Amino acid sequence: MAASTVTLEPPVGDAVYRAWRESRVDADLAHAAAEQVRNQAGRNVIVVIESRFDEIMAKIGAQSAHMNEQSARLEEKIDAQNTRIEVLQRVIWPLIGIPATAVLGLLYEAVDG
């Protein structure tokens, strides 16, 4: 396998590369240094993005916990309402039945009588 030749060409307008070259730094070294500066800048950006991502995930987790609490309270309220409805049904139907029986008895007497 033949060794490949890499042409080191700095990006157009690379001020770091140009500054080192104007300071008479070797072209290969200036290019490597400019690349290292870009790589470090990229790592710094990644650190900032990861930090923001962690903040966002923490906020999402807090919102999720809040929603779970609200859901639990809503379920408790619904259960309480269902219990009240069941109690009212046990009370109301007999109360409706008593007058209905009397009315039906009166109707029966009127028809039969």
Side-chain angles (χ1 to χ4, degrees):
M1 181 184 225
S4 64
T5 307
V6 177
T7 306
L8 300 176
E9 294 183 21
V12 176
D14 188 334
V16 173
Y17 176 82
R18 284 195 331 267
W20 282 326
R21 286 299 291 145
E22 287 180 16
S23 299
R24 295 191 172 93
V25 172
D26 176 68
D28 291 342
L29 181 58
H31 178 74
E35 283 295 313
Q36 189 170 8
V37 167
R38 274 190 292 282
N39 289 339
Q40 184 59 46
R43 285 191 292 274
N44 291 345
V45 168
I46 289 170
V47 167
V48 169
I49 289 172
E50 286 175 345
S51 172
R52 292 293 298 158
F53 181 76
D54 291 343
E55 289 174 21
I56 291 168
M57 291 306 293
K59 288 179 182 179
I60 289 172
Q63 285 293 342
S64 177
H66 180 68
M67 289 173 61
N68 289 340
E69 289 172 14
Q70 286 181 330
S71 176
R73 277 186 286 187
L74 183 58
E75 286 179 26
E76 288 174 8
K77 288 180 180 183
I78 289 171
D79 290 344
Q81 289 296 334
N82 286 339
T83 301
R84 286 186 194 116
I85 290 169
E86 290 171 8
V87 168
L88 288 173
Q89 285 178 340
R90 279 188 241 130
V91 171
I92 289 174
W93 285 115
L95 291 175
I96 291 172
I98 293 169
T101 304
V103 169
L104 288 175
L106 291 172
L107 285 173
Y108 179 76
E109 283 181 20
V111 171
D112 192 41

